[in-house]
Structures are given as structure tokens and as C-alpha cells.
Amino acid sequence: MELSRKQFDVLEILAGQKEPLRQRQLEGFTDYSLGTVNRVYNELVNWGFVSDGIITPEGLEALEPYRVKRAVFIAAGFGTRLMPVTLNTPKPLVRVNGKRIIDGLIDACIGIGIQDIVIVRGYLAEQFDQLLYKYPMLKFIENSAYNEANNISSAMCARFLLANSYVFEADLLLNNPKIIKKYHYSSNYLGIKKERTDDWCFKMKDGYISSQQIGGVDCYQEVGISYWNEADGKKLAEHIKQAYETPGGKELYWDQAQFGIFKGEYKVEVRECDEKDVIEIDTFNELKSIDKSYNI
């Protein structure tokens, strides 16, 4: 059965707890009033999804359509702005304080039970094989167009794998693995609330992303981690292909298909995070400021 948003939110909280939670405790985990929590809780009890403050096997089954089934990593680029360290190493494999950048993202996926993990690789592709020693379940897709197209070429390679899937830009330094969630009610993009930014950002309307732009005020700075539900993921397979094949399409970033060419055909929420939760290291100087071992 399809859950309401409030029912989903309460079940998701209970699914992440080892001890029983009562309604007043649940209120503290949500933005809902105690009266709303009581009503939703009783609905879930009546359906057999919750018993004595614990989610039941039937409740977990009701959450199953909302579980993330796969993670797709876009990892084919040159990482030019991080030269010279990326001269012989793909950016996702660069070590920061002793740990490869991509490892934090993969570990977070494994931590919520995702075993279907796909990496789209291109630049120095064979170096990604080293990941198999730690993560033997990984699968690779080869992007042969990485040197002549933007990252939409990677999405093109993986376009049939985006339903019920996370899509990660593979060069993000994850500091808070808790932002990688096991269940999602709808398609969403991570964003950092900003009064002003010069970076890629989203404007919102009626709870959904209404536009994507470079620079803005009272907006959400875009973070390259998104989730696409089954219906949206299936639509993306065709829309990415169409966008890629338009004049100039190879120069697009992959999410300009849904927020640009096919604007208005997706209802995508922003899932707010803190700027310390995940960091994109754009330049070598930024890398040196985070990891002092590069100051040589």
C-alpha cells in the first residue's frame, strides 16, 4: 500500500531505532504536533505496522518500496582543478587525511545496506580496480566519451540504473554519513541553505525545486548527491538520452536534463544538510587547507 508522507516519516524513524519509541518521543524527531503524531501512530498500529513502539515486519514491508536499491557513482572526469595531484590519480581516489575520497561515500552506502554499487569511470579507469580489494561487490561501467563530453555522458552510460537509486558525484568528502538515508519518500537533492551563493543552486516553489542556476539569494546550494524514485528514474533514462542527443547536449551537466531541458516534469525536493556534512574539494589549495600533508 502507498503510505502518506506523515505515515512514512513515522515508520522511517521507528525503522532506525533499536528501542521502542512512544508518541511524545516521536514528536521530538519530527516537525509534527503531538496530536498529528498520535493520529498517525494509531493508524500504523491499526494496520499492524507498529506494535508497542516498535516497527513490525509488516511495517518494514510497507517501507520496502521506498528503500534505496542502488548507488551510482559518476567518477569519469579529469579532476583538472585539483592538479597536480590528479595528474596520476583520479580525483575520487585522492587520499584526504589518509582515506580515499570515494571510500566515505561507499562506506555510507554499505552502512545502510546498499550492495548494488556501480561506478562509471573514464579517466585513468584501471586505477579504480584497487577498490575491489576492499569492496569486491563493486561494478564498473566504462565511459568512453569522458574526454569529449561533460558528466551527462556518465549518466548516459548508467541511465537504465537510476530508478530507486542514489546518484553521487564521486569526488565529495563525506563528513556525516547519517545524511545517507536508507529510505526516501520522493526524489530529492541535497542542498545547503544559503542567503547568497555564487555556486550552482536551487530555487524552490511549493516545496519542490523550481529552477537550477549559477548564483542566487535565498536558495539552496547544490550538493552532488541525489535520490531518484522508481517513476522518476525510469523517466530519466529517456530524458537523459534526448538531452545528450540535442545540439550541444554533450556539454551539459547531467542534472541539466531534468532541471533545464525537461524542467517542470519532475517534482524534486531539497533535503537540507549542513555545509560541514559534505565538502567538494575544488582546488589544490582547498585540499591543502584540509590535509596539511600536501603542504610540501
Side-chain angles (χ1 to χ4, degrees), residues 92-241:
L93 301 181
V94 169
R95 292 186 180 270
V96 180
N97 296 317
K99 185 175 182 178
R100 292 173 301 213
I101 291 173
I102 199 173
D103 283 30
L105 298 168
I106 296 175
D107 290 342
C109 290
I110 293 172
I112 60 170
I114 299 176
Q115 290 293 314
D116 188 356
I117 302 175
V118 179
I119 296 177
V120 184
R121 62 185 182 176
Y123 175 61
L124 299 176
E126 69 284 351
Q127 292 205 21
F128 285 91
D129 288 344
Q130 66 183 268
L131 293 170
L132 294 171
Y133 293 101
K134 183 178 179 182
Y135 309 108
M137 82 292 290
L138 293 182
K139 290 173 280 190
F140 298 114
I141 294 177
E142 312 301 328
N143 177 3
S144 59
Y146 75 93
N147 62 342
E148 61 186 50
N150 214 326
N151 70 8
I152 192 173
S153 61
S154 290
M156 181 73 175
C157 294
R159 66 188 185 278
F160 296 114
L161 302 177
L162 303 182
N164 294 115
S165 294
Y166 266 122
V167 177
F168 292 92
E169 293 180 11
D171 58 355
L172 299 172
L173 184 65
L174 183 66
N175 292 323
N176 179 12
K178 291 182 179 180
I179 64 174
I180 308 303
K181 300 284 189 179
K182 187 174 185 176
Y183 302 102
H184 291 279
Y185 191 73
S186 63
S187 299
N188 60 77
Y189 233 104
L190 276 181
I192 301 168
K193 183 67 174 176
K194 292 283 189 176
E195 293 183 2
R196 181 182 297 273
T197 181
D198 296 324
D199 211 332
W200 283 93
C201 62
F202 298 123
K203 299 289 285 187
M204 307 294 292
K205 183 178 180 180
D206 299 327
Y208 298 103
I209 295 172
S210 59
S211 66
Q212 179 194 48
Q213 59 198 54
I214 299 177
V217 296
D218 189 23
C219 58
Y220 286 93
Q221 183 173 307
E222 182 177 343
V223 177
I225 298 174
S226 58
Y227 167 77
W228 302 91
N229 64 23
E230 184 173 6
D232 287 343
K234 289 179 178 178
K235 278 199 302 183
L236 277 171
E238 182 58 30
H239 285 169
I240 287 170
K241 182 175 185 293

